[in-house]
PDB file of all heavy atoms in Angstrom:
ATOM      1  N   GLU A   7     116.322  94.955 105.985  1.00  0.00           N
ATOM      2  CA  GLU A   7     116.775  96.336 105.979  1.00  0.00           C
ATOM      3  C   GLU A   7     117.645  96.608 104.762  1.00  0.00           C
ATOM      4  O   GLU A   7     118.316  95.710 104.244  1.00  0.00           O
ATOM      5  CB  GLU A   7     117.585  96.667 107.246  1.00  0.00           C
ATOM      6  CG  GLU A   7     116.861  96.413 108.549  1.00  0.00           C
ATOM      7  CD  GLU A   7     117.256  95.101 109.182  1.00  0.00           C
ATOM      8  OE1 GLU A   7     117.587  94.143 108.446  1.00  0.00           O
ATOM      9  OE2 GLU A   7     117.242  95.024 110.427  1.00  0.00           O
ATOM     10  N   SER A   8     117.661  97.870 104.355  1.00  0.00           N
ATOM     11  CA  SER A   8     118.551  98.312 103.300  1.00  0.00           C
ATOM     12  C   SER A   8     118.759  99.813 103.450  1.00  0.00           C
ATOM     13  O   SER A   8     118.090 100.470 104.240  1.00  0.00           O
ATOM     14  CB  SER A   8     117.989  97.990 101.914  1.00  0.00           C
ATOM     15  OG  SER A   8     116.777  98.679 101.679  1.00  0.00           O
ATOM     16  N   GLY A   9     119.695 100.348 102.687  1.00  0.00           N
ATOM     17  CA  GLY A   9     119.910 101.779 102.653  1.00  0.00           C
ATOM     18  C   GLY A   9     121.158 102.266 103.338  1.00  0.00           C
ATOM     19  O   GLY A   9     121.492 103.457 103.237  1.00  0.00           O
ATOM     20  N   GLY A  10     121.850 101.392 104.043  1.00  0.00           N
ATOM     21  CA  GLY A  10     123.076 101.801 104.695  1.00  0.00           C
ATOM     22  C   GLY A  10     124.208 101.965 103.703  1.00  0.00           C
ATOM     23  O   GLY A  10     124.077 101.690 102.511  1.00  0.00           O
ATOM     24  N   GLY A  11     125.324 102.427 104.211  1.00  0.00           N
ATOM     25  CA  GLY A  11     126.482 102.620 103.364  1.00  0.00           C
ATOM     26  C   GLY A  11     127.527 103.463 104.043  1.00  0.00           C
ATOM     27  O   GLY A  11     127.420 103.793 105.225  1.00  0.00           O
ATOM     28  N   LEU A  12     128.554 103.796 103.288  1.00  0.00           N
ATOM     29  CA  LEU A  12     129.639 104.650 103.751  1.00  0.00           C
ATOM     30  C   LEU A  12     129.373 106.063 103.265  1.00  0.00           C
ATOM     31  O   LEU A  12     129.294 106.304 102.054  1.00  0.00           O
ATOM     32  CB  LEU A  12     130.976 104.140 103.225  1.00  0.00           C
ATOM     33  CG  LEU A  12     132.206 104.999 103.504  1.00  0.00           C
ATOM     34  CD1 LEU A  12     132.443 105.123 105.002  1.00  0.00           C
ATOM     35  CD2 LEU A  12     133.421 104.411 102.805  1.00  0.00           C
ATOM     36  N   VAL A  13     129.234 106.989 104.199  1.00  0.00           N
ATOM     37  CA  VAL A  13     128.903 108.367 103.864  1.00  0.00           C
ATOM     38  C   VAL A  13     129.783 109.318 104.659  1.00  0.00           C
ATOM     39  O   VAL A  13     130.376 108.950 105.677  1.00  0.00           O
ATOM     40  CB  VAL A  13     127.426 108.683 104.131  1.00  0.00           C
ATOM     41  CG1 VAL A  13     126.522 107.808 103.266  1.00  0.00           C
ATOM     42  CG2 VAL A  13     127.091 108.484 105.602  1.00  0.00           C
ATOM     43  N   GLN A  14     129.840 110.540 104.193  1.00  0.00           N
ATOM     44  CA  GLN A  14     130.591 111.573 104.884  1.00  0.00           C
ATOM     45  C   GLN A  14     129.749 112.231 105.964  1.00  0.00           C
ATOM     46  O   GLN A  14     128.522 112.325 105.851  1.00  0.00           O
ATOM     47  CB  GLN A  14     131.076 112.632 103.898  1.00  0.00           C
ATOM     48  CG  GLN A  14     132.111 112.144 102.905  1.00  0.00           C
ATOM     49  CD  GLN A  14     132.612 113.254 102.007  1.00  0.00           C
ATOM     50  OE1 GLN A  14     131.971 114.294 101.869  1.00  0.00           O
ATOM     51  NE2 GLN A  14     133.753 113.046 101.397  1.00  0.00           N
ATOM     52  N   ALA A  15     130.410 112.680 106.995  1.00  0.00           N
ATOM     53  CA  ALA A  15     129.725 113.413 108.040  1.00  0.00           C
ATOM     54  C   ALA A  15     128.976 114.603 107.451  1.00  0.00           C
ATOM     55  O   ALA A  15     129.475 115.287 106.551  1.00  0.00           O
ATOM     56  CB  ALA A  15     130.716 113.879 109.099  1.00  0.00           C
ATOM     57  N   GLY A  16     127.775 114.827 107.957  1.00  0.00           N
ATOM     58  CA  GLY A  16     126.943 115.909 107.480  1.00  0.00           C
ATOM     59  C   GLY A  16     125.945 115.505 106.415  1.00  0.00           C
ATOM     60  O   GLY A  16     125.019 116.268 106.125  1.00  0.00           O
ATOM     61  N   SER A  17     126.103 114.342 105.837  1.00  0.00           N
ATOM     62  CA  SER A  17     125.182 113.872 104.814  1.00  0.00           C
ATOM     63  C   SER A  17     123.978 113.191 105.458  1.00  0.00           C
ATOM     64  O   SER A  17     123.867 113.115 106.684  1.00  0.00           O
ATOM     65  CB  SER A  17     125.889 112.929 103.846  1.00  0.00           C
ATOM     66  OG  SER A  17     126.360 111.778 104.519  1.00  0.00           O
ATOM     67  N   SER A  18     123.081 112.686 104.611  1.00  0.00           N
ATOM     68  CA  SER A  18     121.851 112.060 105.078  1.00  0.00           C
ATOM     69  C   SER A  18     121.672 110.693 104.447  1.00  0.00           C
ATOM     70  O   SER A  18     122.182 110.418 103.356  1.00  0.00           O
ATOM     71  CB  SER A  18     120.640 112.936 104.741  1.00  0.00           C
ATOM     72  OG  SER A  18     120.716 114.199 105.366  1.00  0.00           O
ATOM     73  N   LEU A  19     120.938 109.848 105.139  1.00  0.00           N
ATOM     74  CA  LEU A  19     120.566 108.534 104.642  1.00  0.00           C
ATOM     75  C   LEU A  19     119.114 108.258 104.985  1.00  0.00           C
ATOM     76  O   LEU A  19     118.607 108.740 105.999  1.00  0.00           O
ATOM     77  CB  LEU A  19     121.422 107.429 105.260  1.00  0.00           C
ATOM     78  CG  LEU A  19     122.836 107.212 104.740  1.00  0.00           C
ATOM     79  CD1 LEU A  19     123.535 106.181 105.617  1.00  0.00           C
ATOM     80  CD2 LEU A  19     122.815 106.758 103.293  1.00  0.00           C
ATOM     81  N   ARG A  20     118.475 107.473 104.156  1.00  0.00           N
ATOM     82  CA  ARG A  20     117.170 106.934 104.482  1.00  0.00           C
ATOM     83  C   ARG A  20     117.246 105.418 104.443  1.00  0.00           C
ATOM     84  O   ARG A  20     117.473 104.820 103.387  1.00  0.00           O
ATOM     85  CB  ARG A  20     116.076 107.419 103.529  1.00  0.00           C
ATOM     86  CG  ARG A  20     114.668 107.026 104.018  1.00  0.00           C
ATOM     87  CD  ARG A  20     113.556 107.522 103.127  1.00  0.00           C
ATOM     88  NE  ARG A  20     113.492 106.789 101.879  1.00  0.00           N
ATOM     89  CZ  ARG A  20     112.441 106.798 101.050  1.00  0.00           C
ATOM     90  NH1 ARG A  20     111.376 107.543 101.360  1.00  0.00           N
ATOM     91  NH2 ARG A  20     112.472 106.110  99.922  1.00  0.00           N
ATOM     92  N   LEU A  21     117.079 104.815 105.590  1.00  0.00           N
ATOM     93  CA  LEU A  21     117.079 103.371 105.703  1.00  0.00           C
ATOM     94  C   LEU A  21     115.669 102.843 105.493  1.00  0.00           C
ATOM     95  O   LEU A  21     114.693 103.492 105.861  1.00  0.00           O
ATOM     96  CB  LEU A  21     117.588 102.934 107.075  1.00  0.00           C
ATOM     97  CG  LEU A  21     118.910 103.552 107.539  1.00  0.00           C
ATOM     98  CD1 LEU A  21     119.297 102.982 108.892  1.00  0.00           C
ATOM     99  CD2 LEU A  21     120.005 103.327 106.505  1.00  0.00           C
ATOM    100  N   SER A  22     115.574 101.656 104.922  1.00  0.00           N
ATOM    101  CA  SER A  22     114.286 101.035 104.658  1.00  0.00           C
ATOM    102  C   SER A  22     114.212  99.678 105.327  1.00  0.00           C
ATOM    103  O   SER A  22     115.207  98.964 105.421  1.00  0.00           O
ATOM    104  CB  SER A  22     114.059 100.859 103.152  1.00  0.00           C
ATOM    105  OG  SER A  22     114.034 102.097 102.486  1.00  0.00           O
ATOM    106  N   CYS A  23     113.024  99.331 105.768  1.00  0.00           N
ATOM    107  CA  CYS A  23     112.744  98.014 106.327  1.00  0.00           C
ATOM    108  C   CYS A  23     111.487  97.494 105.653  1.00  0.00           C
ATOM    109  O   CYS A  23     110.396  98.030 105.883  1.00  0.00           O
ATOM    110  CB  CYS A  23     112.559  98.096 107.841  1.00  0.00           C
ATOM    111  SG  CYS A  23     112.018  96.555 108.616  1.00  0.00           S
ATOM    112  N   VAL A  24     111.636  96.474 104.833  1.00  0.00           N
ATOM    113  CA  VAL A  24     110.512  95.870 104.141  1.00  0.00           C
ATOM    114  C   VAL A  24     110.021  94.684 104.956  1.00  0.00           C
ATOM    115  O   VAL A  24     110.807  93.807 105.328  1.00  0.00           O
ATOM    116  CB  VAL A  24     110.897  95.431 102.721  1.00  0.00           C
ATOM    117  CG1 VAL A  24     109.710  94.753 102.038  1.00  0.00           C
ATOM    118  CG2 VAL A  24     111.360  96.622 101.904  1.00  0.00           C
ATOM    119  N   VAL A  25     108.733  94.663 105.205  1.00  0.00           N
ATOM    120  CA  VAL A  25     108.121  93.672 106.081  1.00  0.00           C
ATOM    121  C   VAL A  25     107.279  92.710 105.265  1.00  0.00           C
ATOM    122  O   VAL A  25     106.467  93.125 104.434  1.00  0.00           O
ATOM    123  CB  VAL A  25     107.247  94.355 107.146  1.00  0.00           C
ATOM    124  CG1 VAL A  25     106.637  93.313 108.092  1.00  0.00           C
ATOM    125  CG2 VAL A  25     108.060  95.375 107.928  1.00  0.00           C
ATOM    126  N   SER A  26     107.451  91.437 105.501  1.00  0.00           N
ATOM    127  CA  SER A  26     106.600  90.418 104.902  1.00  0.00           C
ATOM    128  C   SER A  26     106.012  89.552 106.002  1.00  0.00           C
ATOM    129  O   SER A  26     106.568  89.448 107.095  1.00  0.00           O
ATOM    130  CB  SER A  26     107.377  89.566 103.902  1.00  0.00           C
ATOM    131  OG  SER A  26     108.441  88.870 104.538  1.00  0.00           O
ATOM    132  N   GLY A  27     104.892  88.916 105.692  1.00  0.00           N
ATOM    133  CA  GLY A  27     104.213  88.105 106.683  1.00  0.00           C
ATOM    134  C   GLY A  27     103.054  88.854 107.320  1.00  0.00           C
ATOM    135  O   GLY A  27     102.735  89.980 106.944  1.00  0.00           O
ATOM    136  N   ARG A  28     102.456  88.230 108.287  1.00  0.00           N
ATOM    137  CA  ARG A  28     101.287  88.809 108.937  1.00  0.00           C
ATOM    138  C   ARG A  28     101.663  89.981 109.814  1.00  0.00           C
ATOM    139  O   ARG A  28     102.597  89.905 110.611  1.00  0.00           O
ATOM    140  CB  ARG A  28     100.581  87.747 109.779  1.00  0.00           C
ATOM    141  CG  ARG A  28      99.895  86.661 108.972  1.00  0.00           C
ATOM    142  CD  ARG A  28      99.153  85.707 109.885  1.00  0.00           C
ATOM    143  NE  ARG A  28      98.407  84.703 109.143  1.00  0.00           N
ATOM    144  CZ  ARG A  28      97.651  83.767 109.696  1.00  0.00           C
ATOM    145  NH1 ARG A  28      97.542  83.707 111.022  1.00  0.00           N
ATOM    146  NH2 ARG A  28      97.013  82.896 108.938  1.00  0.00           N
ATOM    147  N   THR A  29     100.909  91.048 109.657  1.00  0.00           N
ATOM    148  CA  THR A  29     101.060  92.213 110.507  1.00  0.00           C
ATOM    149  C   THR A  29      99.686  92.690 110.949  1.00  0.00           C
ATOM    150  O   THR A  29      98.674  92.398 110.306  1.00  0.00           O
ATOM    151  CB  THR A  29     101.787  93.360 109.798  1.00  0.00           C
ATOM    152  OG1 THR A  29     101.043  93.748 108.636  1.00  0.00           O
ATOM    153  CG2 THR A  29     103.185  92.932 109.382  1.00  0.00           C
ATOM    154  N   PHE A  30      99.672  93.427 112.022  1.00  0.00           N
ATOM    155  CA  PHE A  30      98.445  93.990 112.552  1.00  0.00           C
ATOM    156  C   PHE A  30      98.659  95.475 112.786  1.00  0.00           C
ATOM    157  O   PHE A  30      99.783  95.923 113.007  1.00  0.00           O
ATOM    158  CB  PHE A  30      98.040  93.288 113.848  1.00  0.00           C
ATOM    159  CG  PHE A  30      97.799  91.821 113.672  1.00  0.00           C
ATOM    160  CD1 PHE A  30      98.824  90.912 113.838  1.00  0.00           C
ATOM    161  CD2 PHE A  30      96.548  91.349 113.332  1.00  0.00           C
ATOM    162  CE1 PHE A  30      98.609  89.557 113.670  1.00  0.00           C
ATOM    163  CE2 PHE A  30      96.308  89.992 113.159  1.00  0.00           C
ATOM    164  CZ  PHE A  30      97.349  89.099 113.327  1.00  0.00           C
ATOM    165  N   VAL A  31      97.568  96.222 112.755  1.00  0.00           N
ATOM    166  CA  VAL A  31      97.684  97.672 112.788  1.00  0.00           C
ATOM    167  C   VAL A  31      98.303  98.170 114.080  1.00  0.00           C
ATOM    168  O   VAL A  31      98.871  99.263 114.106  1.00  0.00           O
ATOM    169  CB  VAL A  31      96.320  98.348 112.557  1.00  0.00           C
ATOM    170  CG1 VAL A  31      95.806  98.028 111.168  1.00  0.00           C
ATOM    171  CG2 VAL A  31      95.304  97.920 113.615  1.00  0.00           C
ATOM    172  N   THR A  32      98.212  97.392 115.130  1.00  0.00           N
ATOM    173  CA  THR A  32      98.786  97.811 116.403  1.00  0.00           C
ATOM    174  C   THR A  32     100.219  97.332 116.604  1.00  0.00           C
ATOM    175  O   THR A  32     100.836  97.662 117.621  1.00  0.00           O
ATOM    176  CB  THR A  32      97.934  97.323 117.573  1.00  0.00           C
ATOM    177  OG1 THR A  32      97.749  95.906 117.476  1.00  0.00           O
ATOM    178  CG2 THR A  32      96.566  98.006 117.561  1.00  0.00           C
ATOM    179  N   ASP A  33     100.733  96.563 115.667  1.00  0.00           N
ATOM    180  CA  ASP A  33     102.117  96.122 115.781  1.00  0.00           C
ATOM    181  C   ASP A  33     103.051  97.318 115.831  1.00  0.00           C
ATOM    182  O   ASP A  33     102.824  98.341 115.183  1.00  0.00           O
ATOM    183  CB  ASP A  33     102.504  95.237 114.606  1.00  0.00           C
ATOM    184  CG  ASP A  33     101.874  93.867 114.669  1.00  0.00           C
ATOM    185  OD1 ASP A  33     101.232  93.529 115.673  1.00  0.00           O
ATOM    186  OD2 ASP A  33     102.024  93.117 113.673  1.00  0.00           O
ATOM    187  N   VAL A  34     104.115  97.166 116.586  1.00  0.00           N
ATOM    188  CA  VAL A  34     105.143  98.192 116.682  1.00  0.00           C
ATOM    189  C   VAL A  34     106.323  97.815 115.798  1.00  0.00           C
ATOM    190  O   VAL A  34     106.821  96.691 115.862  1.00  0.00           O
ATOM    191  CB  VAL A  34     105.603  98.382 118.138  1.00  0.00           C
ATOM    192  CG1 VAL A  34     106.845  99.267 118.207  1.00  0.00           C
ATOM    193  CG2 VAL A  34     104.480  98.993 118.966  1.00  0.00           C
ATOM    194  N   MET A  35     106.756  98.760 114.997  1.00  0.00           N
ATOM    195  CA  MET A  35     107.972  98.633 114.219  1.00  0.00           C
ATOM    196  C   MET A  35     108.990  99.605 114.788  1.00  0.00           C
ATOM    197  O   MET A  35     108.660 100.755 115.070  1.00  0.00           O
ATOM    198  CB  MET A  35     107.717  98.942 112.750  1.00  0.00           C
ATOM    199  CG  MET A  35     106.665  98.064 112.100  1.00  0.00           C
ATOM    200  SD  MET A  35     107.157  96.320 112.050  1.00  0.00           S
ATOM    201  CE  MET A  35     108.692  96.434 111.134  1.00  0.00           C
ATOM    202  N   ALA A  36     110.205  99.150 114.934  1.00  0.00           N
ATOM    203  CA  ALA A  36     111.212  99.973 115.582  1.00  0.00           C
ATOM    204  C   ALA A  36     112.550  99.863 114.874  1.00  0.00           C
ATOM    205  O   ALA A  36     112.832  98.889 114.169  1.00  0.00           O
ATOM    206  CB  ALA A  36     111.369  99.572 117.049  1.00  0.00           C
ATOM    207  N   TRP A  37     113.354 100.871 115.090  1.00  0.00           N
ATOM    208  CA  TRP A  37     114.753 100.875 114.674  1.00  0.00           C
ATOM    209  C   TRP A  37     115.638 100.906 115.910  1.00  0.00           C
ATOM    210  O   TRP A  37     115.409 101.683 116.841  1.00  0.00           O
ATOM    211  CB  TRP A  37     115.079 102.083 113.797  1.00  0.00           C
ATOM    212  CG  TRP A  37     114.508 102.009 112.417  1.00  0.00           C
ATOM    213  CD1 TRP A  37     113.358 102.565 111.967  1.00  0.00           C
ATOM    214  CD2 TRP A  37     115.103 101.337 111.299  1.00  0.00           C
ATOM    215  NE1 TRP A  37     113.174 102.284 110.635  1.00  0.00           N
ATOM    216  CE2 TRP A  37     114.233 101.530 110.200  1.00  0.00           C
ATOM    217  CE3 TRP A  37     116.272 100.598 111.115  1.00  0.00           C
ATOM    218  CZ2 TRP A  37     114.505 101.006 108.926  1.00  0.00           C
ATOM    219  CZ3 TRP A  37     116.532 100.073 109.862  1.00  0.00           C
ATOM    220  CH2 TRP A  37     115.661 100.284 108.794  1.00  0.00           C
ATOM    221  N   PHE A  38     116.629 100.049 115.894  1.00  0.00           N
ATOM    222  CA  PHE A  38     117.691 100.036 116.886  1.00  0.00           C
ATOM    223  C   PHE A  38     119.021 100.157 116.162  1.00  0.00           C
ATOM    224  O   PHE A  38     119.108  99.927 114.958  1.00  0.00           O
ATOM    225  CB  PHE A  38     117.684  98.739 117.700  1.00  0.00           C
ATOM    226  CG  PHE A  38     116.511  98.579 118.625  1.00  0.00           C
ATOM    227  CD1 PHE A  38     115.270  98.203 118.150  1.00  0.00           C
ATOM    228  CD2 PHE A  38     116.662  98.794 119.991  1.00  0.00           C
ATOM    229  CE1 PHE A  38     114.191  98.044 118.994  1.00  0.00           C
ATOM    230  CE2 PHE A  38     115.589  98.630 120.856  1.00  0.00           C
ATOM    231  CZ  PHE A  38     114.353  98.260 120.356  1.00  0.00           C
ATOM    232  N   ARG A  39     120.045 100.483 116.908  1.00  0.00           N
ATOM    233  CA  ARG A  39     121.382 100.469 116.336  1.00  0.00           C
ATOM    234  C   ARG A  39     122.357  99.898 117.348  1.00  0.00           C
ATOM    235  O   ARG A  39     122.132  99.946 118.550  1.00  0.00           O
ATOM    236  CB  ARG A  39     121.828 101.866 115.894  1.00  0.00           C
ATOM    237  CG  ARG A  39     122.089 102.841 117.029  1.00  0.00           C
ATOM    238  CD  ARG A  39     122.455 104.209 116.474  1.00  0.00           C
ATOM    239  NE  ARG A  39     122.867 105.131 117.515  1.00  0.00           N
ATOM    240  CZ  ARG A  39     123.189 106.396 117.303  1.00  0.00           C
ATOM    241  NH1 ARG A  39     123.144 106.901 116.058  1.00  0.00           N
ATOM    242  NH2 ARG A  39     123.558 107.170 118.313  1.00  0.00           N
TER     243      ARG A  39
END
């Protein structure tokens, strides 16, 4: 993961998750916090 940081309320962020290794089209990718 990348893209986090310290930001002010009201702003926006786009987080990224780069995947390596075997994947399949039906695999589920998710975000948790």
